Amino acid sequence: SYAELLGVFFDIHDPTTLNRQGNDVGTQYRSAIFVADEAERSIAQAAIAAESMRLSKKVATTIEELDVFYPAESYAPTFMIDTYTPVRLSCHSR
């Protein structure tokens, strides 16, 4: 479900830092949820509120309109499996 997807999203990064993930800094490293409709927006708002309560911190994640969607390259579905190293996945927040 969409709510479960957002749970994974919050599991794999720090949503409390503005425009930053680890040592990487800039707006391209912002925490954002892109929504396609009002139903997704409502679920995203609830997920952000729940994550903020869970962390007892303000969540910097923004909700933005999904304007354009670009399909992933053909190698994307197995990229993490093909290139896995423990260091590569060390950015996870939990």
Side-chain angles (χ1 to χ4, degrees), residues 4-69:
E4 291 170 322
L5 178 64
L6 292 177
V8 172
F9 169 74
F10 284 120
D11 280 348
I12 63 171
H13 83 293
D14 180 358
T16 66
T17 56
L18 182 63
N19 298 330
R20 177 183 200 118
Q21 289 300 313
N23 292 328
D24 298 318
V25 179
T27 56
Q28 70 271 34
Y29 297 104
R30 72 192 183 283
S31 176
I33 299 170
F34 294 88
V35 297
D37 56 36
E38 287 304 312
E40 287 183 359
R41 179 179 297 283
S42 179
I43 295 167
Q45 288 170 330
I48 289 171
E51 189 69 5
S52 183
M53 286 183 59
R54 187 187 75 75
L55 296 172
S56 298
K57 291 176 87 174
K58 181 174 174 17
V59 169
T61 303
T62 61
I63 299 173
E64 302 179 26
E65 296 297 322
L66 176 63
D67 292 330
V68 178
F69 177 79

Side-chain angles (χ1 to χ4, degrees), residues 62-82:
T62 61
I63 299 173
E64 302 179 26
E65 296 297 322
L66 176 63
D67 292 330
V68 178
F69 177 79
Y70 296 97
E73 293 87 354
S74 61
Y75 63 83
T78 62
F79 180 78
M80 292 302 288
I81 294 166
D82 297 342

